[in-house]
C-alpha cells in the first residue's frame, strides 16, 4: 500500500527487506549522480555563485541516507526541507 511504501522509504517500518534496501540505495545513488551532473553543469557555466546548500523536498527525499549520499557525491551540504 501507499502507507507501507512511505514507511519503507523513511525507514519507519522497522526491518526493511534487503532487496528493498538495495533498491533504495540504487535510487539514492542515481539521484545523487544526477544532482552532481546538474551542479557540474551550473559550475561550468560560470555565471553564478557556488552552490552552498542542496535542499531536498518531496516523498523521495525521505529515502534513508539520501542526504548523506548526495553530500558524498557532490561535496555540498544537503538538508531535508
Amino acid at each position: 500500500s501507499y502507507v507501507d511504501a512511505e514507511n519503507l522509504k523513511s525507514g519507519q517500518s522497522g526491518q526493511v527487506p534487503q532487496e528493498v534496501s538495495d533498491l533504495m540505495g540504487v535510487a539514492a545513488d542515481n539521484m545523487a549522480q544526477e544532482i552532481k551532473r546538474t551542479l557540474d553543469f551550473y559550475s561550468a557555466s560560470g555565471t553564478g555563485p557556488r552552490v552552498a546548500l542542496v535542499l531536498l523536498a518531496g516523498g523521495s527525499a525521505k529515502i534513508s541516507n539520501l542526504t548523506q549520499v548526495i553530500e558524498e557525491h557532490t561535496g555540498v551540504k544537503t538538508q531535508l526541507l
Side-chain angles (χ1 to χ4, degrees):
S1 76
Y2 174 80
V3 172
D4 293 336
E6 289 299 310
N7 288 336
L8 283 172
K9 251 193 306 194
S10 64
Q12 295 178 0
S13 65
Q15 183 76 18
V16 177
Q18 186 62 42
E19 67 180 27
V20 172
S21 179
D22 292 346
L23 289 172
M24 288 192 301
V26 169
D29 280 334
N30 288 340
M31 280 190 260
Q33 289 171 10
E34 187 60 37
I35 290 168
K36 172 135 180 54
R37 282 191 290 273
T38 301
L39 293 175
D40 289 346
F41 179 79
Y42 174 77
S43 294
S45 71
T47 59
R50 180 184 164 279
V51 173
L53 178 65
V54 173
L55 294 173
L56 303 175
S60 294
K62 296 177 186 175
I63 291 175
S64 183
N65 298 322
L66 180 59
T67 56
Q68 293 87 349
V69 172
I70 292 172
E71 284 182 356
E72 289 170 8
H73 277 76
T74 65
V76 177
K77 183 174 174 65
T78 304
Q79 294 179 348
L80 183 60
L81 190 61

